[in-house]
Structure formats: structure tokens, C-alpha cells
Amino acid sequence: MDHDLLTPDVVGLWEDAHTDYGPRPRFRTAPAGLVAGDAEWRTHLAEETPNGWLLRGGSLLETLATGSPIYLMHTTTYLKEMRASRQLYQAAGCLVGALYCALLTPEPPGLRPHNLGAWLLANKPHTHTVVFEVAPGGPVAPLGIDYLQLGRVHLHTYRQHRALLTPAEDEPLRREAVERIRRAAPVLDMLLAAARRCTPADRILDQVAAAVPLVPFLGYLYFETVSEYLMLHSTSLATKACAQTGELNNHLYKHLAFSAVDSMGQLFDLALFHPDQDRLLELVGQIEPDLVDGVADYVGQRLPHLFACAVLDPIGDATTVIFAGTDFDTLARTAPGLLGQMLFRLLRASPRYPQLFPLVEQAKATAASSFWTARGIATPFNGVIPKGEIGLNLAWPAGVRAWTAEVCERGLLHPVEEFGVTLVPRLADLRDTALGRARFARTTT
């Protein structure tokens, strides 16, 4: 992997897109003018929520710190092809090219799946399960990739590859991105105002939900904020059982997503997550009734903060930004994260995305792999919160060992047959992904 791809400016973008969960973390720079910064929020979450201690001492972070071999499970419908080709490819998604997996903990009777893995085994009955053993060669830096913070990476990638677009494609893309932000400006300006003061606007969730179709990124922020609330505040017996093994309860947000969006099973698309406040209360009531009373207030305070930190220039001033009447150049300067997220989403929906995918998305995956490999990260994880989503860095020079696996009656995984695989730091064909199957199956190449 060519580390020269990571110029100082690009390194800064990728550093800012990661959250440090180490004992002496590097806190993310927040724009001036906010009620609280990253350090204040993270201290509050870790020390003042029932399950916040897992943000500092969970099994995922402890596993990375040991430097011992790491065991992962991966579910796939392509086991036959994987064994025939003996190759593993990257996958676009929240882990930016890393192969999506769940952690396994070695125990005397077998490999115990993280509760995320147990959910995958129970809810993906038509898939095969593969076990990987990764040798990190030492303690792994506890840096989690936060896909909510990728807006500036998306904008950088767009600028690098803008020449691939014809003027007839590029100009409408830029115009629509700005127009959508202008139309959603009352809600976006309200979120910034809420982030600058302690008291959020009344029924903020109704306004956010209504704006998601215009600004899909809000759906991602909304979902992750509610998920964070559920996992950190749940006191159910199931959540306590997960906590005893050092795990946040992933079943909570899975229930939320699949209950809120009927089509989530075909394509996990959080741009479709936009329940209004009454519907959200209903959904949370179905998951854990005791959490209903606090969810609106929590999301009303937390979401504006996350929004401001994700969309604004981190060294800018939140008090000077107004989305009403904005233009492309102003957004690129003051709200590069929002503009990048909007361009990424619009480009993904464009007719020519299947052709652009191997270039545009590969650039991000290659940069991410370079960043991880340079820092000794063999198994990057979803750092929005260390809930259990962990990946395999397909550029890891030491490679992996792989086995087919079976599940016993106790729910433990047992390796059955080892087979050789080579890690290939190149994205799988879009047609072999859920996004490709859902939206581009009829596209010719």
C-alpha cells in the first residue's frame, strides 16, 4: 500500500473521521460557539449513563489492546465463489472498504459471537459463516471510523474526481445540492441554534423527520443518535446480560431500524429513517417502555451537537453560519461536511454511479486502508460508538487464516475446514453488493 497517497491534508481528514477510544483520547475539535465540546459530551456519556463504562472498557476495545490474534465472523452468500477464487475483496459501506464482521471471543467450548454476531446468525439464515483469524502483531490503536464524519472526505473525493463528470452532470449535481440545503435551511439553522444553547426547539424531532427526504444525511444522524440513547440507557435483562460480557446491546438498534423502515431487509438505507416524534416514542415503547420518557429530550440535545460537529468546518464558528440563501462556495468553506454528504448521496443516486463506483468509492477505500495499515490497524471498527461492528482491513500485510464454521446448540461457532484466501484491497463489483442488487441490477456495463 502506497502511504504517499496520504498527504498531510488527507491524513488530517482521516484523523478527524476517527474517534479515539484510548485511555488518553485525542478529542475531536469542535466548532466555536457550541454549548459543549467533544470532551464534555464523551465524559457525560461515559460517566453518567448506565452503560457508559463500555465506551472505555468494553470487550471490543479490550480485545484490540491485547495484541493477541483477533477472531471475526463474516456472513456471506458467496462462500462457493470465495473458496474457488481464494480472494477477499473490499465492501463499500459504513466501514469504508473494510469487510463487515462481528467479533468472536475464544472460550474453551468454542468461539462465542458478540451479540451482533448472534443477531446475524439468527436473522440471516440463508448465509454461510466464515471465521477469520487476524494477527495484529501488537496492540491495535483504538481508533474507530465514524462514517458520520466522512463529509469532508466525500467533498475531497468529489473535487479529485470532478473531471469524470460532464458539465451536464456536474452542474445539476452542484445546483441540486445547494437547492436542497436552501430548502431545508429553516431546520438546519434551527439545529445550529439548538447546538449553541442548552434548550432545544420544541418538537425538534418532527422538524428533523420532515427534512430527511431533502437532506438524507439527517436520517443517518437521527438513527445513530437514537441508537446511542438506547444502547447507553437500556437497563433490560438482555442489555445487562450483554454488559456482563463487555458488550453494548446491538439488538436494540436492529429492532429500531427494521421496525421503522419496512424495506430495511432489502437495503439498509438510513436515509429512509425519519419517524416523527410520536412515531419514535411508539417505536421506543415497543423496544423498552422505560426509555420512552427520556428519548425526545436526549435526541433534541445530542443530535444538534452531532450535526454541528459533522457538517461544519471544525475550526470555524457555529455562530456565523446561516444556511438560508447559501451558495456552493460558501458551503464548501463553512459547512464542508454537509456539502460533502449531500454530493455523495446525490452522486450515489445518479444514473452513472455504477460506472463511477470503481473510481470514486475505490479512492476512499484505498485512502482508508492506507491510513489503517500505516497505524497498525488490522481490524477497523465502527467508531460512531463501539457497539460491535468491526471490519477486516483488506490491505493488512500479514493476511488472515479462514475457516468455514458451524454453530452448535449453545450458539458457539466451531471452525470446520480451513481454506486459503488472499486479501485484495480492491472493491467488490457493485453488482455483488446489496446496493447494486437493489438499485442497479438492470444497468449494463
Side-chain angles (χ1 to χ4, degrees):
M1 186 60 61
D2 183 2
H3 298 313
D4 290 340
L5 291 171
L6 296 179
T7 64
D9 288 347
V10 175
V11 168
L13 292 179
W14 285 101
E15 285 180 341
D16 289 344
H18 285 75
T19 302
D20 186 349
Y21 287 99
R24 292 177 294 278
R26 168 187 176 268
F27 293 112
R28 183 174 288 115
T29 301
L34 302 184
V35 171
D38 185 42
E40 290 87 350
W41 261 109
R42 289 179 60 187
T43 298
H44 165 73
L45 297 178
E47 298 181 359
E48 299 179 27
T49 63
N51 304 312
W53 64 274
L54 292 167
L55 300 178
R56 295 176 174 172
S59 60
L60 189 154
L61 299 175
E62 290 175 351
T63 297
L64 298 179
T66 66
S68 301
I70 299 170
Y71 294 89
L72 306 174
M73 60 163 281
H74 172 68
T75 56
T76 180
T77 58
Y78 293 102
L79 178 61
K80 181 178 179 180
E81 293 83 354
M82 185 187 300
R83 297 184 68 177
S85 69
R86 294 178 173 247
Q87 294 182 325
L88 287 176
Y89 293 91
Q90 295 173 318
C94 66
L95 293 175
V96 200
L99 190 70
Y100 187 93
C101 300
L103 188 68
L104 293 169
T105 300
E107 295 183 350
L111 296 167
R112 178 179 58 79
H114 186 282
N115 71 85
L116 170 62
W119 186 93
L120 293 171
L121 292 172
N123 291 275
K124 292 184 175 289
H126 303 299
T127 61
H128 302 281
T129 304
V130 177
V131 168
F132 297 117
E133 179 189 82
V134 189
V140 180
L143 302 176
I145 180 70
D146 184 344
Y147 76 98
L148 299 178
Q149 295 288 336
L150 286 176
R152 290 193 295 146
V153 170
H154 294 321
L155 180 59
H156 172 78
T157 307
Y158 161 77
R159 285 169 163 163
Q160 279 190 315
H161 295 84
R162 186 183 175 191
L164 295 171
L165 302 172
T166 67
E169 293 171 323
D170 185 47
E171 292 171 10
L173 180 75
R174 294 162 69 93
R175 187 166 56 248
E176 183 174 358
V178 173
E179 179 59 24
R180 281 173 172 248
I181 291 170
R182 285 178 173 176
R183 289 168 61 192
V187 178
L188 304 181
D189 288 336
M190 176 271 296
L191 287 173
L192 285 189
R196 296 193 299 260
R197 63 174 185 266
C198 294
T199 305
D202 185 45
R203 293 188 69 87
I204 188 174
L205 305 188
D206 289 342
Q207 299 176 63
V208 170
V212 169
L214 277 176
V215 184
F217 178 60
L218 291 177
Y220 292 77
L221 275 173
Y222 187 8
F223 173 79
E224 292 293 353
T225 306
V226 180
S227 298
E228 178 185 85
Y229 170 79
L230 294 173
M231 287 185 285
L232 293 180
H233 292 82
S234 172
T235 56
S236 70
L237 291 177
T239 296
K240 289 178 179 178
C242 290
Q244 288 178 350
T245 60
E247 300 171 6
L248 290 164
N249 185 355
N250 286 231
H251 293 228
L252 298 167
Y253 71 81
K254 290 293 188 180
H255 188 165
L256 174 69
F258 284 85
S259 297
V261 182
D262 292 338
S263 62
M264 209 62 101
Q266 286 72 53
L267 179 65
F268 200 86
D269 186 358
L270 293 177
L272 302 177
F273 184 84
H274 53 88
D276 62 19
Q277 181 165 312
D278 291 341
R279 176 57 177 156
L280 179 66
L281 298 182
E282 181 183 3
L283 290 168
V284 173
Q286 295 169 1
I287 297 169
E288 191 165 335
D290 289 346
L291 298 181
V292 171
D293 288 345
V295 64
D297 285 343
Y298 180 89
V299 178
Q301 295 181 52
R302 180 67 168 150
L303 192 152
H305 173 81
L306 291 176
F307 172 77
C309 291
V311 307
L312 299 184
D313 179 355
I315 59 173
D317 187 342
T319 65
T320 65
V321 178
I322 299 174
F323 292 108
T326 191
D327 56 53
F328 191 95
D329 291 339
T330 299
L331 286 169
R333 184 177 67 256
T334 63
L338 179 60
L339 182 59
Q341 292 284 1
M342 184 63 78
L343 290 169
F344 162 68
R345 188 73 199 192
L346 292 175
L347 188 62
R348 202 175 92 165
S350 69
R352 208 154 67 88
Y353 185 67
Q355 293 174 282
L356 300 175
F357 174 85
L359 298 171
V360 175
E361 300 306 334
Q362 187 64 65
K364 299 172 199 171
T366 299
S369 296
S370 298
F371 180 90
W372 295 328
T373 304
R375 282 158 177 74
I377 298 175
T379 53
F381 64 94
N382 188 340
V384 175
I385 184 172
K387 55 190 177 185
E389 295 177 318
I390 189 168
L392 179 61
N393 175 6
L394 274 294
W396 187 243
V400 299
R401 297 179 68 186
W403 294 263
T404 59
E406 292 181 350
V407 185
C408 70
E409 66 279 359
R410 298 176 59 182
L412 301 176
L413 279 173
H414 299 272
V416 175
E417 180 183 356
E418 186 171 6
F419 61 98
V421 292
T422 299
L423 303 184
V424 181
R426 186 173 74 247
L427 286 173
D429 193 303
L430 181 61
R431 292 168 294 186
D432 294 331
T433 69
L435 176 63
R437 290 191 296 270
R439 296 188 178 175
F440 303 111
R442 297 176 185 174
T443 300
T444 58
T445 58

